[in-house]
């Protein structure tokens, strides 16, 4: 769903058209959930946060001056997921959060797949890859969503892709 269609849908919701909300929800729920899940790695919590994103969307519909409502929605999703991550692990530093890896029990018997590799990436790299690949954002939009300079976003994306490539070729991340 591109920004123009999304703006029209949001305007329709402002006029009371609940069907427009259903369309937006059906179109964005999977990529929004994916972004949240890749931050939290907790299915029930990710589902709750996803619902919170869409409730927040209904409660505070963006005005027409927002240039990129899609980025606005994903920024809400990202921020709510990070807030929930901090609530669930208040004693972890940001360095600890970046180095979260699956336990040995999670990986034994599991086939090598993208989720496993993504879990091994630091949180900031995982977010950038997910926002680009799953949500379809351009790097400039990702820079706006994450409040990271564009050059840093590009560098972290290339670094993450290199790590994933290495992992799938039998190396370590």
């Amino acid at each position: 769903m591109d920004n123009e269609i999304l703006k029209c849908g949001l305007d329709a919701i402002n006029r009371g058209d609940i069907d427009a909300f259903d369309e937006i929800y059906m179109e964005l729920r999977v990529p929004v959930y994916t972004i949240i899940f890749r931050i939290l790695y907790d299915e029930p919590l990710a589902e709750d946060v996803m619902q919170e994103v869409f409730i927040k969307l209904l409660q505070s519909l963006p005005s027409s001056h927002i240039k990129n409502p899609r980025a606005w929605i994903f920024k809400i999703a990202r921020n709510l997921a990070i807030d929930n991550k901090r609530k669930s692990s208040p004693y972890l530093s940001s360095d600890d959060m970046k180095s979260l890896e699956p336990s040995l029990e999670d990986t034994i018997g599991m086939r090598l797949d993208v989720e496993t590799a993504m879990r091994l990436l630091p949180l900031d790299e995982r977010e950038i890859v997910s926002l680009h690949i799953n949500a379809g954002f351009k790097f400039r939009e990702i820079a706006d969503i994450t409040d990271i300079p564009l050059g840093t976003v590009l560098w972290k994306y290339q670094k993450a892709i290199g790590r994933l490539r290495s992992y799938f070729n039998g190396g370590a991340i």
Side-chain angles (χ1 to χ4, degrees):
M1 176 174 284
D2 70 14
N3 276 314
E4 290 308 312
I5 294 171
L6 186 54
K7 282 181 183 180
C8 291
L10 294 172
D11 288 342
I13 294 170
N14 275 329
R15 293 188 306 272
D17 182 357
I18 198 67
D19 291 333
F21 176 77
D22 290 342
E23 286 179 41
I24 291 171
Y25 177 80
M26 294 307 290
E27 184 74 26
L28 295 180
R29 68 185 168 94
V30 172
V32 166
Y33 174 84
T34 302
I35 299 305
I36 295 166
F37 179 76
R38 291 234 170 101
I39 293 170
L40 300 174
Y41 279 105
D42 179 329
E43 288 180 27
L45 183 56
E47 288 174 14
D48 290 346
V49 172
M50 181 190 68
Q51 297 303 324
E52 193 176 338
V53 168
F54 286 100
I55 289 169
K56 195 171 198 103
L57 172 68
L58 274 177
Q59 291 173 339
S60 58
L61 287 171
S63 62
S64 58
H65 76 276
I66 291 181
K67 291 180 183 178
N68 193 337
R70 194 167 192 272
W72 179 77
I73 292 168
F74 279 90
K75 189 165 191 163
I76 290 171
R78 177 186 178 269
N79 290 343
L80 287 174
I82 288 172
D83 288 347
N84 275 275
K85 183 75 170 176
R86 287 182 184 138
K87 286 178 194 173
S88 66
S89 55
Y91 301 109
L92 290 179
S93 69
S94 61
D95 289 338
D96 291 335
M97 287 176 60
K98 289 179 184 176
S99 66
L100 289 175
E101 296 181 10
S103 67
L104 183 59
E105 294 83 21
D106 290 339
T107 57
I108 292 177
M110 197 190 262
R111 67 182 173 86
L112 195 72
D113 64 355
V114 173
E115 270 320 306
T116 302
M118 289 293 289
R119 283 183 186 216
L120 297 175
L121 289 176
L123 178 60
D124 56 345
E125 291 178 16
R126 189 168 63 224
E127 280 184 277
I128 291 167
V129 170
S130 292
L131 285 167
H132 182 66
I133 293 174
N134 298 112
F137 283 105
K138 296 176 182 163
F139 293 111
R140 186 171 311 285
E141 294 171 318
I142 295 169
D144 291 339
I145 291 169
T146 60
D147 295 322
I148 298 173
L150 177 60
T152 305
V153 168
L154 292 168
W155 174 73
K156 286 180 181 266
Y157 179 80
Q158 290 301 321
K159 188 173 158 187
I161 294 301
R163 288 178 189 218
L164 292 170
R165 188 175 292 122
S166 172
Y167 180 79
F168 286 116
N169 286 331
I173 284 191

